[in-house]
Amino acid sequence: MKQSGPGGALKSLITLGPARKDHWVGLRTGIGIFAPLILLLAINRLDLMVFVVFGAFTGVYGRVDGYWNRLRMQLRSGALFFAVIALALLASHWWINHDDPELKSWQLVGATTLVAGACSVAAGFLRLRPAGSLFHIFAFAAIASIAEPAPAGQALLAAAATIVFQIVVGASGAIGQWANVWQRTALPPLSGNVKSAIWWEGLFYVLTAGAAGALANTVGSRLDAGHNYWAMVAAVVPLVGHTTRMRVRRGVHRVLGTLVGMLLMAALVLANPPVLVLVVCIGLLQFMTEMLVIRNYFLAQIFVTPLALIGVSLVSGLSTAVMYDRIVETLIGSAVGILGVIGGSLFGRLLLRIRGTRTA
């Protein structure tokens, strides 16, 4: 049902879409991130946490029916995440100048912009769902920005082990249902129009992510906000959607959900619980995110916000500084993304008019 006007916009904040076995997806992803983090905590290796977290994103790509279809999807997504993590480590060692903060911020934006476009195209041709490169932007920039990451071999081993664990968790439901395991859905060949759309989508990811990163470096730095890649992540959020209205609403939901989610994060900062409790919170927040992200993006963002902030603060300790950064960068990125969607829609209409004039 379409919801238009102010009333429809407000109603969309509390309206849940149809359930699609979201609790199973939430359970799989929650376990997939909780178990590796508990292991790292037990062996006192939280320096590997960032690689485990982004390896665990493989579990997000499991919203497909059929165990074989899910396995195919997660093998592809896991391979792409591993490549992004490895590339980010290389960038941190050989490209990013961690001794010059200003140069570092521009190098990070430049490299992440290329990753945004490349991974969007890769996700399109690999038939990954969710589409786009939001998670890959986040993973690459977060790892590449680390001045002294864990040894590359150990980091890649942690990421690979988590990816494999997520794939195993995703396939665990097949136990006792062996007759259905090999049922697969053949993927039809991509048409020329679809291939062209994938390349255009990649270009929009490059332009939107790059513009958001550049604006975050110029405006965000004057506002004393760090984490410029959060603006790049927020900017590509509106690029997913079937209509311009849906895409713009998705960007607005990102902002509003972030602001409400800050209340939950503030409560955690005030409580200042031990690390073990924070790890449990990460698992629960991941579960709630996947429960809601398809049904209501605004409600999902309420849990995404503290999830992301705990993730970047787990080792150093919770603080209000990252809360400020999150708000500023989200506002910058979402504004760029929404304007990009509107501009892209107008450009598309112009092209259609030009083609119509030529064929008339």
Side-chain angles (χ1 to χ4, degrees):
M1 183 180 296
K2 293 184 179 180
Q3 299 171 339
S4 59
L10 290 175
K11 189 176 180 180
S12 71
L13 296 176
I14 56 174
T15 301
L16 288 176
R20 303 173 184 176
K21 300 180 180 179
D22 306 282
H23 59 291
W24 289 117
V25 181
L27 186 62
R28 290 197 301 266
T29 55
I31 293 174
I33 195 171
F34 173 74
L37 287 179
I38 282 293
L39 178 59
L40 292 183
L41 184 61
I43 63 176
N44 195 28
R45 287 303 307 270
L46 287 180
D47 59 314
L48 296 172
M49 183 194 70
V50 64
F51 307 100
V52 163
V53 168
F54 292 122
F57 278 175
T58 302
V60 175
Y61 294 79
R63 290 180 179 270
V64 289
D65 295 326
Y67 297 109
W68 177 264
N69 298 329
R70 183 185 301 159
L71 177 63
R72 176 177 58 194
M73 176 85 76
Q74 292 190 327
L75 283 172
R76 293 179 176 184
S77 64
L80 184 57
F81 271 120
F82 186 81
V84 168
I85 292 170
L87 185 63
L89 282 169
L90 286 174
S92 176
H93 282 292
W94 302 105
W95 169 247
I96 305 296
N97 186 343
H98 298 285
D99 296 325
D100 187 338
E102 184 175 356
L103 177 59
K104 173 183 176 178
S105 63
W106 286 106
Q107 288 176 326
L108 193 63
V109 167
T112 306
T113 298
L114 296 177
V115 169
C119 287
S120 172
V121 172
F125 281 102
L126 291 174
R127 322 287 187 91
L128 299 183
R129 292 293 180 274
S133 56
L134 183 152
F135 296 107
H136 310 96
I137 292 171
F138 191 12
F140 176 84
I143 294 172
S145 64
I146 301 174
E148 296 182 2
Q154 297 176 18
L156 292 177
L157 177 61
T162 306
I163 290 170
V164 171
F165 177 66
Q166 277 284 14
I167 293 173
V168 171
V169 171
S172 61
I175 297 175
Q177 303 184 49
W178 306 115
N180 301 322
V181 170
W182 302 109
Q183 294 180 2
R184 68 182 74 179
T185 302
L187 297 176
L190 296 172
S191 66
N193 288 338
V194 171
K195 291 179 180 179
S196 177
I198 289 173
W199 285 107
W200 274 107
E201 193 78 5
L203 176 61
F204 278 117
Y205 269 79
V206 167
L207 295 176
T208 305
L215 191 61
N217 276 352
T218 53
V219 177
S221 61
R222 294 179 181 179
L223 298 174
D224 295 324
H227 300 88
N228 54 12
Y229 58 89
W230 281 347
M232 303 178 76
V233 171
V236 302
V237 166
L239 299 185
V240 178
H242 297 295
T243 65
T244 300
R245 177 181 294 172
M246 288 176 61
R247 293 183 174 198
V248 170
R249 182 169 291 177
R250 186 174 164 90
V252 174
H253 282 192
R254 175 83 178 193
V255 174
L256 297 179
T258 296
L259 295 176
V260 177
M262 284 300 171
L263 300 176
L264 187 55
M265 184 62 190
L268 287 171
V269 172
L270 290 174
N272 193 26
V275 175
L276 176 60
V277 174
L278 290 176
V279 170
V280 174
C281 286
I282 287 176
L284 292 175
L285 291 168
Q286 182 66 56
F287 171 79
M288 291 303 302
T289 296
E290 293 305 317
M291 278 280 290
L292 295 167
V293 69
I294 298 298
R295 305 182 68 188
N296 187 304
Y297 197 71
F298 162 71
L299 294 178
Q301 284 304 306
I302 295 175
F303 298 98
V304 168
T305 299
L307 175 62
L309 297 185
I310 293 173
V312 300
S313 308
L314 192 59
V315 177
S316 59
L318 300 182
S319 70
T320 57
V322 292
M323 296 173 61
Y324 173 77
D325 289 354
R326 184 75 173 189
I327 293 174
V328 172
E329 303 296 0
T330 297
L331 288 172
I332 291 173
S334 296
V336 171
I338 291 171
L339 290 175
V341 166
I342 295 173
S345 177
L346 295 175
F347 178 71
R349 292 179 184 180
L350 178 61
L351 286 181
L352 289 176
R353 289 180 182 178
I354 292 175
R355 290 177 182 177
T357 302
R358 289 178 178 177
T359 55

